[in-house]
């Protein structure tokens, strides 16, 4: 047995025991290279590729041509590594197909890997049928590090064109703070009104971070809106405060 065979076996044992997520990025890349580099140490090459590309995501996002420019990377390696992002996306799409968008935690589970490495805010819409079964996911807007804007009319158009009966709006906060902003509250209000008018169920607006999430539905805001038991008042710190007011209708005149 070659010395590298022993190292590879130890690596495989670590993965079997603790999962591949227990490895550092360069170790994951080193392990992946086993598939295209038989009986040779891939540690040094993995370090070099990570250093040039920045991180594992950077490696997978490179074109075949760019990867081949890295010393030691062959054509077969470049094709293999550049295909990883496509494989991951296909996996996520297959997972999405079985979710129910009425389940907040399922929505978060599917979207977190998509948001995980983004340094800017991105907004997606999940479309479902009358029972909440997933139909489609649409990227509706890209923003910057602190905000993202979308046109509510575009959201309505997307839902109607795809014959959706339920929709979930979901976006990320790269700051890792799940608290909804004043702008998030205003947008949620406008989306609720728009979909309510055309008979499509606005299931939720979810804000996802690396470690947590905020759901308007789980926090009871959308239920209160549906029952007409809430008015919106601008608070002293610039946030919308949800104030239950039985028998009082919405007053949207200021918006």
């Amino acid at each position: 047995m070659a010395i590298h065979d022993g190292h590879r076996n130890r690596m495989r044992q670590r993965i079997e025991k603790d999962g591949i997520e227990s490895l550092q990025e360069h170790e994951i890349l080193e392990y992946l290279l086993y598939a295209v580099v038989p009986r040779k140490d891939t540690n040094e090459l993995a370090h070099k590729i990570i250093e040039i590309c920045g991180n594992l995501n950077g490696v997978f996002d490179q074109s075949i041509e760019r990867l081949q420019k890295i010393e030691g990377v062959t054509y077969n390696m470049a094709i293999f590594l550049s295909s990883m992002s496509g494989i991951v996306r296909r996996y996520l799409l297959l997972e999405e197909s079985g979710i129910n968008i009425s389940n907040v935690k399922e929505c978060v589970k599917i979207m977190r890997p998509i948001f995980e490495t983004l340094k800017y805010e991105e907004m997606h819409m999940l479309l479902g049928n009358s029972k909440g079964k997933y139909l489609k996911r649409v990227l509706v807007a890209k923003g910057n590090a602190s905000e993202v804007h979308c046109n509510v009319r575009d959201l309505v158009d997307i839902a109607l064109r795809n014959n959706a009966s339920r929709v979930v709006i979901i976006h990320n906060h790269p700051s890792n703070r799940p608290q909804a902003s004043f702008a998030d509250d205003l947008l949620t209000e406008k989306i609720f009104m728009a979909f309510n008018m055309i008979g499509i169920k606005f299931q939720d607006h979810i804000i996802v971070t690396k470690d947590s999430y905020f759901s308007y539905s789980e926090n009871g805001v959308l239920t209160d809106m549906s029952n007409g038991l809430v008015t919106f008042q601008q608070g002293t710190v610039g946030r919308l405060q949800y104030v239950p007011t039985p028998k009082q209708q919405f007053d949207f005149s200021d918006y």
Side-chain angles (χ1 to χ4, degrees):
M1 178 185 293
I3 185 171
H4 302 307
D5 291 336
H7 175 70
R8 292 187 178 202
N9 285 334
R10 288 191 294 273
M11 180 77 81
R12 295 186 183 103
Q13 289 168 4
R14 285 177 60 191
I15 294 171
E16 181 180 5
K17 179 182 177 183
D18 302 317
I20 197 165
E21 62 272 14
S22 66
L23 304 182
Q24 297 181 52
E25 285 198 333
H26 73 274
E27 292 177 317
I28 294 175
L29 182 55
E30 178 185 354
Y31 172 72
L32 289 175
L33 289 174
Y34 292 171
V36 287
V37 185
R39 299 185 180 280
K40 186 178 179 181
D41 183 15
T42 57
N43 182 274
E44 184 177 346
L45 180 58
H47 272 287
K48 181 189 297 184
I49 296 173
I50 289 287
E51 182 179 350
I52 292 173
C53 298
N55 54 39
L56 204 55
N57 291 74
V59 176
F60 298 157
D61 288 338
Q62 297 298 317
S63 66
I64 296 172
E65 291 76 16
R66 287 191 174 185
L67 285 169
Q68 280 188 275
K69 291 180 180 179
I70 301 174
E71 184 180 358
V73 175
T74 65
Y75 176 65
N76 286 340
M77 286 185 209
I79 291 179
F80 179 71
L81 294 176
S82 67
S83 70
M84 287 294 108
S85 59
I87 293 171
V88 171
R89 283 194 294 269
R90 176 63 64 87
Y91 172 78
L92 291 174
L93 285 173
L94 290 172
E95 271 210 327
E96 285 178 10
S97 64
I99 74 169
N100 189 309
I101 68 168
S102 302
N103 187 310
V104 177
K105 289 181 173 54
E106 284 190 20
C107 294
V108 172
K109 179 182 177 182
I110 289 300
M111 293 303 301
R112 180 164 280 141
I114 296 171
F115 290 141
E116 193 169 23
T117 60
L118 294 182
K119 295 181 180 179
Y120 55 87
E121 292 194 13
E122 203 172 77
M123 184 171 291
H124 294 245
M125 182 161 64
L126 304 182
L127 308 173
N129 63 15
S130 59
K131 296 182 179 179
K133 184 178 179 180
Y134 173 88
L135 297 175
K136 189 176 183 179
R137 172 172 57 84
V138 179
L139 170 61
V140 294
K142 291 185 178 182
N144 55 36
S146 59
E147 61 183 359
V148 61
H149 301 283
C150 74
N151 189 315
V152 176
R153 184 174 296 178
D154 290 340
L155 302 183
V156 171
D157 183 57
I158 292 169
L160 290 173
R161 282 191 286 107
N162 288 278
N163 296 314
S165 298
R166 295 173 182 248
V167 300
V168 169
I169 301 299
I170 185 163
H171 80 278
N172 62 316
H173 277 183
S175 64
N176 207 31
R177 298 180 60 189
Q179 291 83 1
S181 68
F182 180 62
D184 292 332
D185 291 336
L186 283 176
L187 178 62
T188 303
E189 170 192 344
K190 292 175 182 177
I191 296 172
F192 172 84
M193 292 176 63
F195 281 114
N196 190 52
M197 289 179 63
I198 61 174
I200 292 178
K201 174 73 172 177
F202 178 36
Q203 191 74 47
D204 206 350
H205 181 184
I206 306 170
I207 298 168
V208 177
T209 70
K210 181 179 179 181
D211 304 313
S212 187
Y213 71 88
F214 174 85
S215 160
Y216 280 87
S217 176
E218 283 190 346
N219 281 272
V221 179
L222 297 186
T223 298
D224 286 344
M225 290 173 69
S226 298
N227 294 330
L229 300 176
V230 62
T231 57
F232 295 92
Q233 298 176 354
Q234 185 171 344
T236 57
V237 294
R239 289 274 290 115
L240 289 180
Q241 297 181 346
Y242 305 106
V243 184
T245 53
K247 299 182 180 179
Q248 184 174 345
Q249 298 300 314
F250 295 115
D251 179 5
F252 295 122
S253 59
D254 292 334
Y255 307 109

